[in-house]
Amino acid sequence: QVQLVESGGGLVQAGGSLRPSCAASGRTFSSYAMGWFRQAPGKAREFVAAIVWTGLNTNYADSVKGRFTISRDNAKNTVYLQMNILKPEDTAVYYCAAKGRVAGTWDYWGQGTQVTVSS
């Protein structure tokens, strides 16, 4: 089992920045990658960004490319999401997830952290 705990969300004005983090514990050696997803009210959950544990490969949704940066600290089993130039449409609950090394699916999820961007 892998446990994920997000923190660092909050309320920010448009154009501002936030840097939520996600701490992983448990059987973290079974995880191949970490990712961030978000879900706004009335919308489906969507992919935001992902990073592998043992490489530099990253992926971003087009909507956040150039504004968001995902990073990791393997020693701390923690992944971060630096969010800059935030827009009201970025308002959502942000979830971190862990992708299993064997199945390659997003098997573990955190509880989510609220990000609200005001105009």
Side-chain angles (χ1 to χ4, degrees), residues 29-102:
F29 61 87
S30 297
S31 179
Y32 170 73
M34 297 291 292
W36 287 95
F37 296 75
R38 67 186 183 186
Q39 187 167 23
K43 295 184 178 180
R45 184 173 299 182
E46 64 176 347
F47 170 79
V48 176
I51 186 169
V52 299
W53 283 118
T54 58
L56 299 176
N57 292 337
T58 57
N59 289 308
Y60 297 94
D62 289 342
S63 59
V64 306
K65 194 171 297 182
R67 299 187 298 119
F68 290 11
T69 302
I70 188 171
S71 62
R72 66 175 188 265
D73 186 335
N74 287 7
K76 297 180 179 179
N77 290 317
T78 300
V79 64
Y80 306 89
L81 185 66
Q82 179 67 53
M83 304 188 293
N84 297 325
I85 320 176
L86 283 163
K87 306 174 181 179
E89 49 263 47
D90 294 319
T91 295
V93 176
Y94 283 70
Y95 300 89
C96 66
K99 178 176 286 188
R101 187 171 60 191
V102 177

